[in-house]
Amino acid sequence: MTASNEPSPGPRAPRIPIARMRSLYRLDAVSQRLAKLQQQEHDGLRCTYERMLEKGADRFQVKPAGLPAMDYLYDELPNFHDALDDVKRQIALCQDSRDALEIMPILLLGPPGVGKTHSRARSPSCWAPAWASSR
C-alpha cells in the first residue's frame, strides 16, 4: 500500500511482440531482371534470381513490443557497457521504424577472465548467433 492507501502497482505484464508479413522485394522486378540476363552469362546471379522467385518476397517479421529490462546486465557485465548500449540502441531504433530487428554481430575481445563467455551466457538467447545455440 502507498501513502494514499492505494495498492501499489503490481509487476508489469509481459509485452507481446508485434508480428506481421513483410514484402522484401518486388517479384515483377526480379522477373524482369532475370529475363534480361544472357543465357550463357551470370550463372550465379541467375540462380539467385530464380531462388528469389521460388521463395517469394514475403517474410515473417517479429518486432519487440518494448525495450527489454537490461539494467541487471549492466551490473553483471561491467566490461561490456558499450556492447549493451549498442544492442539497446538497435532495439529502440527498431521500435520507431518499420524495419525488423537486426542485431549486428558483436565481436568481444579481451584477455582471459574479462567476461566474454559469461556475457554470452547472461545475454538473451535472441542476441546470440545461430552457432552459439547449438552448444
Side-chain angles (χ1 to χ4, degrees):
M1 299 293 253
T2 60
S4 64
N5 288 334
E6 294 178 15
S8 60
R12 278 181 125 180
R15 293 181 172 184
I16 299 173
I18 301 167
R20 67 183 179 112
M21 294 299 285
R22 181 175 182 204
S23 184
L24 299 180
Y25 49 85
R26 292 188 2 243
L27 291 173
D28 60 329
V30 175
S31 295
Q32 289 173 358
R33 290 199 172 92
L34 180 59
K36 288 181 182 179
L37 287 178
Q38 300 294 328
Q39 284 294 339
Q40 308 273 328
E41 297 178 9
H42 308 290
D43 287 336
L45 188 55
R46 179 180 309 287
C47 289
T48 299
Y49 286 159
E50 289 171 352
R51 185 171 171 100
M52 289 171 73
L53 292 172
E54 176 187 324
K55 296 292 182 184
D58 293 335
R59 300 292 185 275
F60 191 69
Q61 171 184 331
V62 177
K63 290 180 62 160
L67 287 173
M70 295 176 54
D71 293 339
Y72 72 97
L73 289 173
Y74 284 91
D75 294 337
E76 290 186 22
L77 307 169
N79 295 324
F80 298 105
H81 286 195
D82 290 341
L84 292 171
D85 288 342
D86 189 48
V87 169
K88 190 181 251 186
R89 190 171 25 259
Q90 292 297 321
I91 294 171
L93 286 171
C94 171
Q95 278 187 287
D96 293 338
S97 71
R98 295 185 66 216
D99 296 333
L101 176 61
E102 294 181 20
I103 303 290
M104 295 300 291
I106 299 172
L107 178 62
L108 301 177
L109 299 173
V114 77
K116 298 179 297 287
T117 303
H118 179 70
S119 70
R120 163 52 187 108
R122 295 299 298 150
S123 299
S125 60
C126 64
W127 301 356
W131 58 264
S133 62
S134 64
R135 287 184 167 186

